[in-house]
Every structure is written in structure tokens, then in C-alpha cells.
Amino acid sequence: MILKIALSIALLLYSVSTFLYLYRILKGPTTSDKVVALDSIGMNLVATVALLSMFYDTNAYLDVILLIALLAFIGTVSFSKFIEKGKVIDRERDN
Amino acid sequence: MSLLHLAIILPFVVAIIIPIIYKWTKKIHTGWLVLPVPIILFIYFLSFIPKTMNGSTVETFQWIPRYGINFTVVVDGLSLLFALLITGIGSLVVFYSIYYLGKNKERLNNFYAFLMIFMTAMLGVVLSDNLIVLYLFWELTSISSFLLIGYWYHRERSRYGARKSMMITVFGGLMMLGGFIMLHIMTDSFSIREILAASEAISQNALFIPAMILILLGAFTKSAQVPFHIWLPDAMEAPTPVSAYLHSATMVKAGIYVVARFTPLFALSPIWFWTIAIVGTTTLLWGSINATKKNDLKAILAYSTISQLGLIMTLLGIGAASLHFDNLSDDIYVLAIVAAVFHLFNHATFKGSLFMMVGIIDHETGTRDIRRLGGLMRIMPITATIAFIGTFAMAGLPPFNGFLSKEMFLESLLNLTKLNLWNADTWGILLLIVGFIASVFTFTYSMIIFFKTFTGKQKAYLLPKKPHEAPFGLLLSPAILAFLVLFIGIFPNVIAAPILEPAVKSIVPSLATNADFHIHIGLWHGITPALLMTVGIVILGTILYKTHRFWKPFITTRVPKKLRIGKSYDKGMSYLEQGSYRFTMTVMTGWLRTYLNYMLFAFIVLVLGSLILTDSLNLKFENLTSVTLVDFVLAAVILVTLIGIVFSKSRITSIILLGAMGYTISIFFVIARAPDLALTQLIIETISVVLYLLVFYHLPQFSNIEEKPRFFSVKTFLSIGIGITITLVALSAYDTTFYDSISQYYIDNTYKEAAGKNIVNVILVDFRGFDTLFETTVLAIASIGIFTMIKLRLTKRRDKNENQ
């Protein structure tokens, strides 16, 4: 019971934190701010899914956790590359 | 397939052969090869005369028996009269055309192929007993007539005339098809004989009057009745043999044929009587007045044809009264039918000869303009004789056949004033007056044709060619017709018993059993009111002819300009074109967003409309699950991102927000306990975000092309509407499940039957693996498509690397 209440509180806190990141995405003066906020939302989601799987008492979502962590990384890298070079995938250097 | 069917098809077969053998027979004029066909048919149809005097011949060829569409051919009096006209005048026209059309200048293979197709079509129209087959041949006459009018297709006027006649006659043909189908609905038969036999029963049907009006529209358009007469003068751009054949003797009488054929059915209604009588007399008057204002001989003849067709139509209308009197002892209303049939025959003879005469003049002098012609009598005496006979027959003077039928016409109009039916005795006098005036004008233009062309001073300096008498070959056909005009004028009873009588009997069926009925056309019938009227017509007509140049400007300039129907056709067509162009330009903007607006609007109207109209709006909230705080928070996140996307000013923000929304949705899947969906959603979301970023490089800035979203725009309203619609549909659909879910089966059998514990995956690859197969195919097609779109550039310059 205590565990459930603790989990609920944690979930609520993460939600509030997600909202704050969302505010940063909407307001963030530069694109980099927004990308970092998105990355952080990804990490928040990792935590949220972990909490939820505890909440539902199942291990079916452990894949999801791993995947979000992975994809958030890929997403952030591609955004960063886009900001840096204007494109995501470089063409092979022509001879 | 009987000999009769083969007779109808024969010209068509010849039409197929002619272009093939044309190449090898360049030395002979193609007309000689064609000429035997109508002659053989003419002789063949002559052999039917003894049979039709005692009844009709019926031959059936099964075509589509399941639908009751069979090629049934019936030869009765009326059909035979037409068949003889078609083949007889057809022979003469083919012979005439051999001398009229040059062997080297003209494309004779086309000409004779079209002409033979037309002959088959026309024979099919008059001999068919089946409505659908009749309609088939009817359309074939329209098409072959279109081809023949546009024979000299390099001329603008020919193309215009062909198009116009096509539009009008095909319009009428389609109307007639509608009428035929209504007849079929009423009687469940396509056979004309069966329909006519059931006339009493169907005259009370609600479809009776619509069917009548539609069939009449078809007949009026084909037979150039006011206001559909406008195509006939423009059809005069055709070669003269075509005008002589199609537009005087045969095709324009197809409408007459239909009216005569359906008289036993529709004459039961006063609407039939009045419509035909009024349209006929209007056409008669309008055509005769217009004929006097024309300068082109062919145009005069065209209007005269219109006027004479109106006359025949009027007679058929009046003759409808005869079906209402059982006691036919005095025969006064049958007289109108006799007159119609007789004049039909007469008109074909004299109008054919007149057209050929005009063709000769055109051929030998180079012009048809009566202002340039004159004094040709001494140079072309034989042509002048033919023209004299033709014009005086048309004017209705003795001893030619036109006199007899005109007398009968006037007598029928006089009888009409005695008709004690449908108020005819009060209004009939009006028709009589109109008929009389029209006859006066008919006399006048007949005199104009003859005297302006053949008498007076010769104007050799105005003529493109040096005039001389035509060769024998050109003169023979009109001479034969002129001889017929004279011969029948003097001995009318030669054709009365064998040809006219069966024809009248097939129009008025009650006469068929009447053995006492015999037509006797007297050349001299004593001094009757009709004869006195003829005298009046001659006197008034002569006065009008003498004063022609004084009143002609009045007719040409003032009166008809307001009433010119041809002009309103042109205007109507151009309005139609411009209107549809403008409509298309307003509706089809080329903007996808406009089309999207149409679709969304239609979606809202249709879905919301049917929701409200079928009373299926069902907003019950009883069986809902409870909503937790997490759901609220996630919904709030999605809402915020959504608003952010809509109002964001840069693309990158939109994409980031879209990614955030996609991730949040995957959390929804987690909450809904769907781990596989959550996994897939996450991957797909990431990939699509990366893809968006990929194409970003090539896109312009957001704000450059998009104005700031305004709140009160069509888009806003449509989006709100769509949102509300979908929400209402979803809410209504919820809790309206009528059966239990079938998912229990999967839960029970996933492991037992398919050896798997993941129920989603087992459904995807085992229970419903077929869908998965094709979704894989979709992905394959998409990837191949993307590859092709990137690599394959057919129009643009090739890449440097590829050239190496």
C-alpha cells in the first residue's frame, strides 16, 4: 500500500517535470534548448514506464524502457547533427 | 436469318467491302459498283406489294432473346412505302452521284461507305418491329448523316453543320429511347405490334403521357419541326446527292414514320392530336415564310423541306381524330391520313428532283445564289423542264401530284372545323387559316425558285463558270423523278391501291378489317371549297411573288432577327461552354487545400446529417472505466503539444512537439497494457521524426509560405467541425455493441492451439497472418517506391556520376 502511494507520488512528480520540460520546448529561446528538453522528456518517460511497470506489477515493459533510452539517444543525436550541419545523414564523400 | 434480314444488312456489308476494293478499282467510278445494291433491294421490295395488300410479313432473328430484344422485321404497308422510297430514291441518288462527284477529286470510298451505312440504318428504322433495334438503327442514321454532312471536312461550315445536326438529332434520339423504355415498362414488351395491341390498356397508365412526349421529341428533332428545325438548313453543306437523299426524301421522314407508326397508340389522347397539329402548322408556316427570304437555292429548299414536313405532320395530327370514330363511312378524317401518306410520297419525288436540279445548276454554273442566276432556260432547257415540274408540284398546281395532295390537305383542314372532338371545331379554323397562309408562301417561294433561276436576264459575268446543259447522266435521275411527279399527278390511282392503301391501313388499324375501304384519288373532284382556296392561293401567291422585293427586306431584317432560333442555339451552346468552363475554373482551383475543404465539409455534412437524421446520436456514459490522474496528466500533455504544433512558427518546433506527442501516446499504450504497441510506436515515432529532419534541409522556412493562422477562417471552422463530428461518432459508437467480443476465443486458444504466450503476436502471425503478409507487402512497395523516386529521373539532367 505504501509502495503504491509512493509510486503515485513519484509518477505525479515526473508528470509535473514533463510539463516543465514541455514548457521549455514551447518557449526555449534556441532549438538546442528544445532538443535538450525533448531528450529529458525521453529520460522522464524511461522513469515513468519503470514506475508504471512496478505499479502494474509486470515485467512486460522492460523492453520499452530500454528502447526509449536508445531512441531518445538516437533522436537527440540526429537533432544535434541537424542543428550542426543542416542535415542528418551525410552523403558518402565523392571522389 | 431470313432474306429480309439480309436485305437490310446488304448495304452495310457493301459499305465494309467498298473501301477494300476501292484501291484496286481506281479506273471505275466506285458508284457503278454500288449502284446494283439499291436497285436489287428496290426490286426485292417491289415483290412485297402483293403480300402487303393482304397483310404483313414478319421475320424474326433472335438477338438477345433473354431481354426480349430480337431483330424482328415487319413489312406492312407503311414500312414498304418507306422501304421503296429509300431504295428507289437511293438508286437514283447513287446514279446521280456517279456524275456529280468527280472520280479523281473526291474520296469516293468514304462517300459510298457512309451512304450505304445510312441506307442500312434507314431500312432498319422503317422495318424494325423491336423498339431497341429501331433505336439502334435510328442512332445509326444520325451518325451516318453526321458523317455525310461533314463529308468535306476541311470546310468550317460543313463541320459546324455536322456537329449541329448531330447534337440535335442525338438529343432527340436519347429522349426517344427514354420514351421506348417507358413503353417497355408499361407493357413489358419491346415489340411494336404487341404494344399497339395493348394500346387501350396502357392509355390510362401514368407513364403514357411522358412516353408520348419523349417519343414526340425524338420525332420532332429528326423531322426538323419547330423549334428543332435549325439543323436542317446547316446540313445543306453536305454534297447535293446527300441533301437530296437524306434531307429531303428519307432521313427527315424518319420522325414522320415514328409518328405514323405510333398513331394507333397515342392518338387516344388529345395531347397527341393538339401537339402534332400545332407543331406541324407552326413548322409549316415558319418554314414557308423563311424560305422566301433566302438567296441560296439549297437554303430555300431546306426551309421548304421543313415546311412540307410540317404539313405532313399536321395531316398525321388531324388524322389522329379518325381513330375515335368507329363509323368510317364518310371517311373524312381518314382523308387526312391518306393525304399525309400521299404527300409523303409526292414530297420525296419532287423534292428529290429539285435538289438534284439545284445540284446540276451548281455543277454547271458554279453558284447557287439566285441573285447571280437568271435566264438559264435557253441554255439548260431540260433542267428547266425538271425544275418547272418540281416547283409547280411543290406549289400545288395541276396536273402534278403536289396539287392532289395539297387539295387533300386543304380539305382535311376544312373537315377539321367540323370535328366534334377536343374543341377542334372552334380552334380548327385557326389551323385552317395558318395552313392557307403557309400555302400562299409555299406558292411564292416555289415561283422564286423557278422564275428567278430560269427566266429574266442572263448574268453571265456573275457566274464562275460558263453555263451549259448538264450531261445525260446527271439529268436522268431528276428526269425520272419529274416523270413520276407528272405521271402520279395524272394517274394517282396507280399507286393508290398497291402502296397507299396498305400504308393507311397500318396507321389506322380499324381499317384493316374493313374490306370496303378503298382509296380513290380523283384528279378532278368538282368545284369544292378546297379548289376555291387553291385559286385564292394562286392569286395571292402571284401577288406576293410580284411584290417580293418590296417585302423581302422586312422579313430578312426585322421580323426573324428576334425569332431566330438558330441564333439562340449558338448562344445557348456558347453559354453552356462558358458556363461549364467558369464552373470548372471556380471549383477546380488546383489547390489541394480547396479539395480538402470540400471533402471535409462533405464528411461533416454527411456524417453529422446521418447521425441526426437517423436519430443515432447516443450519448450514454454508464459503462465507462474510471479515469485516473495519470490519464488526465497524459491527456493534458498531448493537448499542450497539439496546441503548440498548431500555433508554432517554426518547423523544428513542430517536429519536436510531434515527437513529444508520439512518445506520450506510447505511454498511453503502456497504461492500456499494450507493450508491443508501445514498442512499435516508439520506434516508428523516432524514425518519422528523423525522416522529417531529413527532408527539412530542402524545405523553405515555414513562415514564408504560410500566413499566420487566423482564428476565423474556413479552416478553423472545418477543423472544429471535424473534431466535434468524430467525437460525437466515437461517443455514440461506444456502448452500442450488440454482441460480445470474440476475444475470449483467442485468450483461451493462444497457447493451446498456436503454441505462443504473446497473444498479440500470435494473432499477427497465426490467427490473422494473412493481413500481416500484405502489410509487409505495403512496406516493400513503399521502400521500392521511395528508391525509385529518388533514383529514377527521366526528365531531369542525369547525375554526373552516372554519366561516367
Side-chain angles (χ1 to χ4, degrees):
Chain A
M1 192 62 204
I2 293 170
L3 182 67
K4 289 252 161 163
I5 293 169
L7 286 174
S8 302
I9 292 168
L11 270 175
L12 191 70
L13 288 177
Y14 273 112
S15 314
V16 172
S17 137
T18 307
F19 263 106
L20 294 176
Y21 286 132
L22 210 57
Y23 175 78
R24 193 39 58 204
I25 291 182
L26 288 170
K27 273 286 151 193
T30 69
T31 311
S32 308
D33 291 318
K34 297 177 182 182
V35 173
V36 171
L38 186 68
D39 190 43
S40 310
I41 286 183
M43 290 308 118
N44 257 4
L45 288 180
V46 170
T48 312
V49 174
L51 289 172
L52 278 173
S53 64
M54 283 168 80
F55 200 81
Y56 296 137
D57 197 17
T58 169
N59 56 6
Y61 299 112
L62 299 184
D63 301 343
V64 179
I65 296 169
L66 205 63
L67 197 75
I68 295 176
L70 230 119
L71 293 178
F73 173 70
I74 294 173
T76 312
V77 167
S78 21
F79 270 114
S80 319
K81 221 171 165 190
F82 180 76
I83 295 165
E84 189 84 347
K85 298 188 172 179
K87 48 189 167 184
V88 181
I89 300 172
D90 291 308
R91 195 180 282 202
E92 296 248 344
R93 185 159 293 170
D94 301 336
N95 40 349
Chain B
M1 184 162 276
S2 67
L3 203 57
L4 205 51
H5 291 100
L6 290 177
I8 295 175
I9 301 296
L10 177 68
F12 195 79
V13 175
V14 173
I16 295 170
I17 298 170
I18 284 293
I20 301 171
I21 61 171
Y22 172 70
K23 279 181 189 169
W24 295 299
T25 55
K26 286 264 182 183
K27 283 185 184 163
I28 316 163
H29 193 286
T30 319
W32 291 114
L33 305 171
V34 173
L35 187 60
V37 177
I39 293 176
I40 290 168
L41 289 177
F42 182 68
I43 294 165
Y44 175 68
F45 280 116
L46 276 180
S47 73
F48 276 93
I49 288 177
K51 293 179 203 163
T52 48
M53 284 171 78
N54 301 314
S56 55
T57 314
V58 183
E59 298 279 0
T60 305
F61 173 71
Q62 303 259 310
W63 183 26
I64 316 173
R66 177 176 287 193
Y67 296 108
I69 299 172
N70 293 315
F71 189 5
T72 306
V73 179
V74 173
V75 186
D76 62 357
L78 188 64
S79 307
L80 188 68
L81 169 66
F82 273 93
L84 287 174
L85 281 180
I86 292 159
T87 50
I89 295 183
S91 316
L92 296 174
V93 162
V94 170
F95 185 77
Y96 177 80
S97 67
I98 292 172
Y99 290 90
Y100 188 81
L101 295 172
K103 194 168 65 180
N104 304 321
K105 279 185 290 178
E106 305 288 349
R107 301 173 317 279
L108 293 170
N109 51 344
N110 292 0
F111 181 79
Y112 286 109
F114 298 160
L115 202 68
M116 287 298 109
I117 293 173
F118 173 77
M119 196 178 277
T120 283
M122 205 57 215
L123 283 174
V125 165
V126 297
L127 292 169
S128 292
D129 179 57
N130 194 289
L131 289 176
I132 298 298
V133 178
L134 171 61
Y135 173 73
L136 177 88
F137 284 117
W138 182 278
E139 289 299 284
L140 200 57
T141 62
S142 295
I143 292 165
S144 50
S145 160
F146 168 78
L147 291 170
L148 284 167
I149 296 168
Y151 174 65
W152 285 311
Y153 54 75
H154 49 87
R155 292 184 191 166
E156 166 66 30
R157 294 294 307 168
S158 289
R159 297 199 301 271
Y160 173 76
R163 213 163 52 226
K164 193 172 182 178
S165 70
M166 183 79 168
M167 294 294 269
I168 292 171
T169 53
V170 168
F171 161 76
L174 285 174
M175 294 295 120
M176 204 174 72
L177 178 64
F180 285 171
I181 291 169
M182 285 180 185
L183 282 182
H184 177 68
I185 293 169
M186 285 187 280
T187 59
D188 204 29
S189 162
F190 279 123
S191 162
I192 294 175
R193 283 170 305 146
E194 286 174 23
I195 289 169
L196 294 188
S199 58
E200 288 288 343
I202 58 176
S203 61
Q204 302 303 321
N205 199 305
L207 283 176
F208 183 71
I209 302 292
M212 176 204 293
I213 289 163
L214 288 178
I215 290 175
L216 272 185
L217 266 178
F220 287 166
T221 48
K222 200 70 159 185
S223 282
Q225 301 292 303
V226 169
F228 305 112
H229 66 283
I230 44 173
W231 65 269
L232 191 58
D234 284 302
M236 290 301 132
E237 295 300 323
T240 303
V242 172
S243 308
Y245 189 37
L246 274 69
H247 306 127
S248 70
T250 54
M251 190 182 85
V252 286
K253 296 205 169 86
I256 304 270
Y257 169 77
V258 166
V259 168
R261 184 51 87 199
F262 285 101
T263 294
L265 173 63
F266 291 122
L268 299 169
S269 155
I271 299 174
W272 176 265
F273 171 82
W274 280 115
T275 314
I276 296 181
I278 290 168
V279 170
T281 40
T282 315
T283 311
L284 170 62
L285 184 66
W286 188 245
S288 60
I289 291 175
N290 271 295
T292 58
K293 75 174 192 199
K294 293 289 172 186
N295 294 317
D296 182 6
L297 279 173
K298 260 180 127 177
I300 299 177
L301 287 179
Y303 276 108
S304 117
T305 303
I306 292 169
S307 150
Q308 304 277 318
L309 290 170
L311 187 148
I312 300 170
M313 208 56 111
T314 313
L315 284 171
L316 282 176
I318 297 169
S322 69
L323 277 93
H324 288 268
F325 294 96
D326 293 332
N327 178 21
L328 290 164
S329 56
D330 49 355
D331 281 348
I332 57 168
Y333 302 116
V334 175
L335 181 73
I337 300 272
V338 177
V341 174
F342 191 36
H343 196 72
L344 177 81
F345 182 86
N346 294 344
H347 176 250
T349 53
F350 67 68
K351 193 53 69 65
S353 77
L354 283 176
F355 265 110
M356 291 181 191
M357 178 276 292
V358 169
I360 291 171
I361 290 172
D362 193 11
H363 210 261
E364 306 305 336
T365 63
T367 183
R368 300 192 306 244
D369 196 327
I370 50 170
R371 287 168 299 189
R372 291 169 159 202
L373 296 166
L376 291 175
M377 206 193 277
R378 262 161 294 151
I379 306 165
M380 309 168 82
I382 305 172
T383 316
T385 314
I386 293 164
F388 174 77
I389 295 171
T391 48
F392 277 64
M394 186 158 71
L397 290 175
F400 308 111
N401 58 10
F403 169 69
L404 301 170
S405 43
K406 182 141 286 185
E407 287 292 280
M408 290 158 85
F409 166 67
L410 293 172
E411 210 164 306
S412 310
L413 282 178
L414 283 168
N415 288 338
L416 186 65
T417 55
K418 295 179 215 151
L419 176 61
N420 194 14
L421 192 70
W422 307 318
N423 301 329
D425 41 358
T426 43
W427 293 102
I429 190 83
L430 220 77
L431 297 187
L432 179 66
I433 293 166
V434 172
F436 180 75
I437 296 169
S439 299
V440 172
F441 276 103
T442 305
F443 185 86
T444 310
Y445 71 67
S446 302
M447 295 306 111
I448 290 170
I449 293 176
F450 182 71
F451 287 109
K452 293 249 163 128
T453 316
F454 291 101
T455 61
K457 258 195 295 180
Q458 205 180 315
K459 300 164 209 163
Y461 54 93
L462 280 174
L463 298 178
K465 284 185 190 171
K466 191 172 156 47
H468 57 82
E469 184 56 280
F472 170 75
L474 269 182
L475 286 170
L476 184 65
S477 294
I480 290 172
L481 286 173
F483 171 74
L484 263 180
V485 170
L486 188 59
F487 182 75
I488 289 168
I490 297 168
F491 307 107
N493 291 310
V494 173
I495 59 160
I499 295 173
L500 300 186
E501 227 177 79
V504 173
K505 278 180 178 172
S506 45
I507 299 176
V508 189
S510 61
L511 285 179
T513 50
N514 192 346
D516 303 331
F517 172 70
H518 288 296
I519 300 175
H520 183 79
I521 302 165
L523 180 59
W524 179 252
H525 41 72
I527 297 178
T528 54
L531 188 71
L532 294 176
M533 283 175 79
T534 307
V535 173
I537 288 167
V538 173
I539 294 168
L540 280 175
T542 315
I543 295 169
L544 273 183
Y545 171 67
K546 288 286 176 199
T547 56
H548 180 236
R549 61 200 160 94
F550 299 113
W551 52 266
K552 187 188 171 190
F554 179 73
I555 292 196
T556 10
T557 53
R558 272 201 233 153
V559 183
K561 238 178 200 159
K562 287 172 193 159
L563 291 166
R564 206 176 285 162
I565 300 155
K567 212 165 201 173
S568 44
Y569 166 84
D570 290 336
K571 262 193 187 162
M573 289 304 271
S574 78
Y575 282 146
L576 206 65
E577 251 171 59
Q578 282 172 15
S580 41
Y581 175 76
R582 263 185 223 149
F583 178 75
T584 318
M585 288 326 255
T586 0
V587 176
M588 308 289 282
T589 53
W591 290 95
L592 282 180
R593 60 174 86 162
T594 323
Y595 305 149
L596 195 64
N597 284 350
Y598 298 155
M599 287 192 277
L600 295 180
F601 181 73
F603 179 81
I604 295 170
V605 169
L606 292 177
V607 174
L608 267 189
S610 54
L611 256 189
I612 292 162
L613 286 180
T614 58
D615 204 22
S616 40
L617 203 61
N618 173 27
L619 300 179
K620 279 186 235 160
F621 305 105
E622 286 150 16
N623 297 325
L624 296 174
T625 45
S626 56
V627 183
T628 60
L629 188 64
V630 185
D631 295 323
F632 269 119
V633 174
L634 286 176
V637 171
I638 287 180
L639 203 67
V640 171
T641 49
L642 200 64
I643 293 167
I645 290 170
V646 172
F647 290 100
S648 90
K649 288 189 191 65
S650 83
R651 277 213 176 87
I652 195 107
T653 316
S654 306
I655 293 304
I656 293 171
L657 283 168
L658 203 63
M661 186 156 87
Y663 287 162
T664 321
I665 287 171
S666 76
I667 300 304
F668 257 124
F669 288 142
V670 169
I671 293 174
R673 294 180 180 77
D676 296 294
L677 277 183
L679 282 174
T680 320
Q681 165 71 20
L682 280 168
I683 298 169
I684 295 298
E685 193 59 44
T686 314
I687 290 174
S688 32
V689 167
V690 173
L691 279 179
Y692 279 125
L693 288 176
L694 261 177
V695 296
F696 256 36
Y697 179 68
H698 305 282
L699 289 177
Q701 281 297 306
F702 217 43
S703 50
N704 289 352
I705 51 161
E706 190 88 14
E707 74 271 35
K708 210 165 178 256
R710 280 175 298 141
F711 189 75
F712 290 103
S713 67
V714 181
K715 275 184 276 181
T716 321
F717 284 114
L718 279 177
S719 344
I720 293 170
I722 285 287
I724 290 172
T725 310
I726 295 289
T727 311
L728 285 179
V729 169
L731 287 176
S732 303
Y734 178 78
D735 199 31
T736 43
T737 45
F738 299 110
Y739 305 103
D740 291 333
S741 170
I742 56 163
S743 55
Q744 191 57 45
Y745 170 82
Y746 295 119
I747 295 167
D748 293 343
N749 291 307
T750 303
Y751 188 70
K752 222 177 2 180
E753 301 280 342
K757 286 182 179 168
N758 187 331
I759 189 166
V760 176
N761 291 356
V762 168
I763 288 175
L764 281 180
V765 298
D766 198 316
F767 290 125
R768 302 274 200 92
F770 215 55
D771 298 343
T772 316
L773 174 68
F774 288 107
E775 268 153 38
T776 323
T777 318
V778 168
L779 282 181
I781 291 170
S783 45
I784 293 170
I786 290 164
F787 181 78
T788 325
M789 280 196 285
I790 292 170
K791 283 289 173 191
L792 192 68
R793 286 177 196 177
L794 293 176
T795 50
K796 277 194 177 174
R797 192 168 48 86
R798 293 201 181 277
D799 216 286
K800 275 180 200 164
N801 294 333
E802 286 176 9
N803 283 341
Q804 283 168 359

